[in-house]
């Protein structure tokens, strides 16, 4: 059951990050889930490095700080992807 919740929350986080980065029309639900899950790992790592604590959704932390760290990580991931795909035709 935890795996299904992980996919749902990861999909929502990825979708919100794609809205913030204006990439929503370019990716589907599968990529939203992937971005959300990888973004949660990045957000947890950034939170640890910056001393923010809290954890992320991959740690089972569904608090507001954990969700915000996961969203921050997903936004960072999409920003990195934008850097590499900026010169390509849309």
């Amino acid at each position: 059951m935890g795996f299904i919740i992980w996919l749902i929350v990861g999909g929502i986080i990825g979708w919100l990050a794609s809205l913030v980065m204006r990439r929503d029309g370019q990716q589907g639900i599968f990529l939203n889930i992937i971005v959300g899950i990888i973004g949660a790992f990045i957000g947890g790592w950034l939170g640890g490095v910056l001393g923010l604590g809290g954890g992320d959704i991959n740690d089972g932390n569904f608090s507001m700080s954990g969700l915000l760290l996961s969203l921050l990580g997903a936004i960072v991931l999409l920003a990195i992807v934008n850097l590499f795909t900026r010169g390509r035709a849309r």
Side-chain angles (χ1 to χ4, degrees):
M1 190 67 162
F3 181 71
I4 294 171
I5 293 172
W6 195 44
L7 290 175
I8 292 170
V9 174
I12 293 170
I13 294 292
W15 174 68
L16 289 173
S18 70
L19 288 176
V20 169
M21 296 301 292
R22 300 175 194 232
R23 292 187 58 95
D24 190 44
Q26 299 173 356
Q27 61 190 41
I29 190 166
F30 181 72
L31 283 178
N32 281 337
I33 292 171
I34 298 298
V35 165
I37 292 171
I38 294 173
F41 283 113
I42 294 171
W45 178 77
L46 283 175
V49 169
L50 298 175
L52 299 175
D56 57 21
I57 63 169
N58 293 324
D59 297 331
N61 183 3
F62 289 102
S63 66
M64 186 57 77
S65 64
L67 292 172
L68 288 175
L69 272 176
S70 298
L71 179 61
L72 176 70
I75 290 171
V76 167
L77 175 65
L78 287 178
I80 292 169
V81 169
N82 281 343
L83 287 175
F84 287 106
T85 60
R86 182 176 291 172
R88 295 184 183 168
R90 295 176 197 232

